[in-house]
Amino acid sequence: MRDYWEESEIKNKKINAKKIILSIAISILVVATIVVVALYVTNNEFRNWVDVEIFKKEISQDKVTTIELDESESSNIYAFNKYIGILSKNKLSLYGSSGGEEANLEVQITNPLFDSANRFLVIGESNGQKVYVVEDKEVAWESSVEGNISKVCVNKNGYVAVIMTGTSYKSEVQVFDPEGNSLFISFLSYTMAVDVDISNDNKYLAIAEVDTSGTIIQSNVRITSIEKARTDPSNSDENNYKSEQNKLIVNIDYQDKDRIVCMYTDTINVIENGQESVVFENENKKITAQSINLEKYFVTVEEESSGIFSANSIINIIDVDSKNIQNYIVDTSIKQIYTKGSIIALNLGTEVEFINTGGWLVKRYIANQEVTNVTVSDNIAGIIYRDKVEIINL
């Protein structure tokens, strides 16, 4: 019996030792993970090393998929959904992430205006009359409008708004449903429509207007009920937000919760709950670029001197709901920014950095020549050169 108890005691000691070793190993792993995460968040050099060496977020020009362009033909390139669209000679070719052509659509437009949301792409003839809507890889509908098209927009459900000039009115805004049926036209007698957007629930149309007929510039945002406008356009206005005098509105963007972000030349404002308020001011800041074309966020680029002949660029990513700011810093001037959905592309000359609205690097593209232009969606980006488009999967 004594031998039995001694043997059991030895076994228990072995089991306990294994548990202790396992607990120590787990504790070391947890502590190491916390340290690595903390370093990744706080140390730029370490984060860059991890992004490049571990996560493989850096890609060089010689390792990307390329679409060749005919230099003798004029091409317009636009990224939407998961495709790179190339419009040339009245043909819209759609390419996937592998670089293969997935669709070839007839689109009778030579000087296009683009906008996209979700799986929808709208194309309008700049200063012309033709409008096309592409849903995924097919032309959903086409139509002609009266007047000259100056702007097009589409919401995530396929509702389209078109701004027209050159009629007997200062501006007209025509709204179409996802099947291409014209719902109504808003006629603006005294103001010029500079931008337009449709709410995500398809209920409201927002028009950014500017009145320059007097000595003072007057900007305002007009909210129209789409349902009321279908039956009684003259009595369909829900609200009209007038800015301070001499403020010039540039863009508007409908976001969730019927919130509208308004970009002026000197501030960024938000309209919600029947009130318009300033959320960002450009005064006393060297702002080099701004965009409100993001989901739930807007972005500003502020340049600050880092030496006699050098400068850093601070990318401020502002959450419209909480007003929290995420910063992303690059040690050079930014040539241009491009935004869509949750992606911000920074053109640094021979590099393009793609970051998300959380302030994290998604992909870094390294070129051996100056980048001419960039087009970006949530899923794919195109680096545009004179003779080719290079595909970046995001």
Side-chain angles (χ1 to χ4, degrees):
M1 179 65 71
R2 182 179 176 184
D3 292 341
Y4 171 79
W5 287 113
E6 286 178 351
E7 185 178 338
S8 296
E9 190 175 341
I10 291 170
K11 286 182 178 179
N12 287 334
K13 286 181 179 178
K14 287 182 178 179
I15 292 172
N16 289 336
K18 287 181 180 179
K19 286 183 177 179
I20 291 170
I21 292 170
L22 181 61
S23 297
I24 292 172
I26 291 173
S27 299
I28 291 172
L29 181 61
V30 169
V31 171
T33 301
I34 292 171
V35 170
V36 169
V37 170
L39 281 172
Y40 186 82
V41 171
T42 60
N43 189 298
N44 289 337
E45 290 185 7
F46 179 75
R47 180 166 63 248
N48 185 67
W49 181 84
V50 171
D51 284 342
V52 174
E53 301 298 333
I54 306 299
F55 295 146
K56 305 299 181 183
K57 292 183 179 181
E58 188 170 284
I59 185 169
S60 60
Q61 185 173 12
D62 58 349
K63 294 183 179 180
V64 298
T65 302
T66 299
I67 305 169
E68 301 294 334
L69 299 177
D70 188 339
E71 293 184 63
S72 64
E73 298 177 359
S74 176
S75 298
N76 295 276
I77 297 95
Y78 188 83
F80 85 102
N81 196 11
K82 54 187 177 179
Y83 307 110
I84 299 292
I86 300 179
L87 179 59
S88 179
K89 297 178 69 175
N90 297 325
K91 296 288 184 181
L92 178 66
S93 299
L94 301 180
Y95 296 85
S97 59
S98 63
E101 185 179 83
E102 299 193 14
N104 192 289
L105 311 176
E106 185 174 344
V107 176
Q108 297 292 323
I109 286 179
T110 56
N111 190 19
L113 297 168
F114 294 107
D115 190 41
S116 63
N118 197 5
R119 65 185 186 278
F120 296 98
L121 169 68
V122 59
I123 312 170
E125 181 73 68
S126 179
N127 292 316
Q129 288 74 47
K130 295 291 291 185
V131 181
Y132 288 80
V133 169
V134 175
E135 183 178 357
D136 196 28
K137 294 189 289 186
E138 301 289 339
V139 174
W141 57 267
E142 62 178 275
S143 186
S144 295
V145 299
E146 295 181 4
N148 302 317
I149 298 172
S150 62
K151 193 107 178 183
V152 294
C153 92
V154 62
N155 79 349
K156 66 179 184 179
N157 301 311
Y159 282 76
V160 169
V162 180
I163 298 178
M164 298 160 291
T165 60
T167 67
S168 56
Y169 295 88
K170 278 270 190 175
S171 294
E172 296 180 11
V173 178
Q174 189 166 0
V175 176
F176 297 87
D177 70 12
E179 286 72 45
N181 302 307
S182 178
L183 299 181
F184 64 91
I185 301 176
S186 289
F187 301 97
L188 310 181
S189 301
Y190 307 106
T191 58
M192 181 68 68
V194 296
D195 200 11
V196 65
D197 207 2
I198 300 171
S199 62
N200 289 328
D201 60 8
N202 319 316
K203 291 182 178 180
Y204 301 104
L205 170 74
I207 306 173
E209 305 173 3
V210 177
D211 184 355
T212 58
S213 59
T215 57
I216 296 173
I217 294 174
Q218 180 62 60
S219 298
N220 63 281
V221 178
R222 183 191 305 273
I223 311 299
T224 297
S225 165
I226 291 178
E227 184 60 35
K228 290 180 182 178
R230 296 178 69 172
T231 55
D232 188 7
S234 60
N235 293 300
S236 59
D237 287 350
E238 293 287 309
N239 219 323
N240 195 3
Y241 298 90
K242 287 191 174 183
S243 70
E244 298 174 14
Q245 293 181 340
N246 282 328
K247 280 180 70 71
L248 180 62
I249 194 166
V250 180
N251 292 116
I252 57 173
D253 186 65
Y254 247 120
Q255 299 195 351
D256 285 341
K257 301 178 182 178
D258 287 337
R259 182 187 291 122
I260 305 172
V261 182
C262 310
M263 182 190 292
Y264 295 86
T265 53
D266 58 345
T267 65
I268 293 178
N269 296 8
V270 170
I271 296 173
E272 58 181 334
N273 300 322
Q275 300 291 326
E276 182 173 4
S277 59
V278 177
V279 292
F280 189 88
E281 295 188 75
N282 296 352
E283 189 177 6
N284 300 322
K285 302 180 182 74
K286 189 178 180 181
I287 302 298
T288 59
Q290 290 181 316
S291 175
I292 60 174
N293 187 28
L294 288 164
E295 291 179 359
K296 303 178 183 179
Y297 293 83
F298 65 88
V299 61
T300 72
V301 178
E302 184 178 352
E303 196 171 280
E304 66 174 17
S305 175
S306 60
I308 299 176
F309 301 108
S310 60
N312 290 334
S313 294
I314 303 171
I315 296 90
N316 302 301
I317 306 165
I318 297 96
D319 185 320
V320 178
D321 192 17
S322 67
K323 309 303 185 291
N324 290 335
I325 301 176
Q326 295 285 348
N327 296 127
Y328 186 89
I329 300 173
V330 294
D331 58 358
T332 186
S333 296
I334 295 175
K335 290 179 61 179
Q336 199 164 356
I337 66 170
Y338 314 83
T339 59
K340 196 66 179 179
S342 62
I343 297 294
I344 304 161
L346 311 172
N347 185 349
L348 309 180
T350 56
E351 292 184 17
V352 180
E353 294 196 358
F354 299 90
I355 63 176
N356 61 26
T357 48
W360 301 107
L361 180 70
V362 175
K363 195 70 66 74
R364 179 185 292 120
Y365 165 83
I366 308 294
N368 52 28
Q369 62 192 107
E370 284 284 321
V371 173
T372 306
N373 201 355
V374 178
T375 181
V376 63
S377 76
D378 255 332
N379 305 299
I380 196 169
I383 309 296
I384 303 170
Y385 297 101
R386 186 184 68 258
D387 58 345
K388 61 184 175 180
V389 180
E390 296 183 339
I391 299 174
I392 310 295
N393 294 311
L394 302 176

